[in-house]
Amino acid sequence: MEERQHRVERSCALRVDGISVAYGPIRALERVSLWADRGELVAIVGANGAGKSSLVKAIAGLVQPWEGSIQIPSGCDITQLPPHLRVKQAGLALVLEGRGILAGMTVMENLTLGGSVGQDRQASTSAEVMESLDSVFELFPELAKRKMARAGDLSGGEQQMLVLGRALLMHPAVLLVDEPTVGLAPLAVRSVLTAIRSLMEERDLCVLLVEQNLQLALEVASRMYVLDRGRLVLEGLTKELREDRRVAEAYLT
C-alpha cells in the first residue's frame, strides 16, 4: 500500500480526493477518490444514475464539489479553477456525452476552434497547428474526406471522431471522455475506442473514460472504478475485476 501511495503522489496526472457533489437535496457523489497516470486509460463504470457524469463534470469544473479536492501533477490544486482555466492551465480536455459539436460549422471550422485553444496553450506556430490537423486527419481519415461538410450532417460515429479530434488539438495532458459509444453502430464503436487507445499510447495521455458498456470498458481500460448510487464501491485492475461478481451487481441495483 505504501509503495502504491508513493507512486500516486509522485507520478499521477490526475488525483481526486474525497469529492462530493449535490444538486439541491440530491447527492450525486459521496466522497469519491481516484487517480490516473499518464499513458493510462482508466474506466469509470456503473449503471444509469451512478454518478459517472457528475464525476467527470466535477473534474472539468462544470459542477462544483462541496467537499474534496482535484489535483494535477506537483500537487497543484485546481478545485476552484473555472473550466476555461482548467483547459488552458491544467491541460484538461472534456468530450461530453451527446457529442457537443457546433452543428452549423464545417468539420474544418470545428477543428480549427480546438487548434486555436491548443495554440494558445502551447505557443505553437501556424505550421505546428497544421501539422496537428494533419495528425487528426491521419487518425480519422473519414474526417479528411468531409472536412468542408457541415458537422451536423455527419453520422454519429463521425461526430464522435470530430469532438475527439477537436479535443486533441487542445494538446491535453488529461482527456476526459464521457460515454463516447452511446448511440453508435458497432463498427463506429470499435473505431472510436481503438482511436482513444492509440492516442493514449502515442501521446502519453491520461484518459479517463466514462462508459456504461461494461464489456467495452473491460476490453480497453487497464484499471477500473465502479460507482453505485454516488459511491465508489470497487476499484482495481480490469484483469482482476473481469470475473468479480460485485461489478455486475453494481449494474443491477
Side-chain angles (χ1 to χ4, degrees):
M1 174 64 80
E2 289 182 2
E3 180 180 352
R4 177 187 168 192
Q5 183 66 23
H6 181 68
R7 179 179 178 228
V8 170
E9 290 179 351
R10 293 198 55 182
S11 68
C12 67
L14 176 69
R15 179 173 178 170
V16 175
D17 282 327
I19 65 168
S20 298
V21 171
Y23 303 105
I26 300 173
R27 293 198 172 186
L29 294 176
E30 290 275 4
R31 299 188 60 78
V32 172
S33 298
L34 61 85
W35 60 275
D37 278 342
R38 291 186 73 95
E40 182 179 34
L41 196 160
V42 176
I44 309 295
V45 303
N48 280 331
K52 306 184 299 297
S53 292
S54 292
L55 174 58
V56 171
K57 289 177 180 177
I59 295 171
L62 299 181
V63 297
Q64 188 65 36
W66 60 269
E67 68 174 337
S69 66
I70 302 161
Q71 298 176 16
I72 57 173
S74 304
C76 180
D77 192 318
I78 63 170
T79 314
Q80 301 301 321
L81 276 185
H84 70 284
L85 291 183
R86 297 191 195 200
V87 173
K88 291 188 176 183
Q89 296 180 13
L92 296 184
L94 172 63
V95 177
L96 281 171
E97 177 187 0
R99 322 269 194 264
I101 60 165
L102 299 170
M105 297 172 67
T106 67
V107 168
M108 195 68 177
E109 287 168 337
N110 270 267
L111 292 174
T112 301
L113 190 63
S116 65
V117 175
Q119 188 173 17
D120 188 37
R121 282 198 68 240
Q122 299 282 325
S124 306
T125 65
S126 296
E128 288 170 330
V129 172
M130 290 307 299
E131 185 177 342
S132 295
L133 275 169
D134 288 341
S135 69
V136 169
F137 288 137
E138 183 178 343
L139 183 66
F140 300 120
E142 296 90 340
L143 296 182
K145 298 173 185 175
R146 307 203 63 192
K147 63 175 69 173
M148 300 312 296
R150 286 177 68 258
D153 294 333
L154 301 180
S155 69
E158 289 168 340
Q159 289 182 5
Q160 189 64 63
M161 293 171 193
L162 177 56
V163 290
L164 279 170
R166 188 176 63 193
L168 292 171
L169 288 169
M170 298 177 186
H171 298 293
V174 178
L175 183 62
L176 310 172
V177 189
D178 187 9
E179 304 262 17
T181 64
V182 169
L184 298 189
L187 187 59
V189 166
R190 192 62 54 190
S191 296
V192 167
L193 290 179
T194 299
I196 291 172
R197 274 206 68 89
S198 297
L199 290 165
M200 175 203 70
E201 294 166 357
E202 292 171 10
R203 301 195 180 196
D204 199 30
L205 278 176
C206 167
V207 179
L208 200 62
L209 172 71
V210 171
E211 182 54 66
Q212 190 171 341
N213 188 317
L214 177 60
Q215 291 308 312
L216 288 177
L218 287 168
E219 285 180 32
V220 300
S222 58
R223 290 190 300 113
M224 179 182 294
Y225 291 89
V226 183
L227 289 175
D228 183 21
R229 288 170 287 189
R231 296 178 181 272
L232 181 63
V233 295
L234 200 59
E235 64 177 285
L237 298 172
T238 50
K239 61 183 179 182
E240 295 173 354
L241 297 178
R242 196 177 300 274
E243 304 301 327
D244 195 317
R245 61 179 177 77
R246 291 174 295 174
V247 177
E249 286 173 356
Y251 278 79
L252 300 175
T253 55

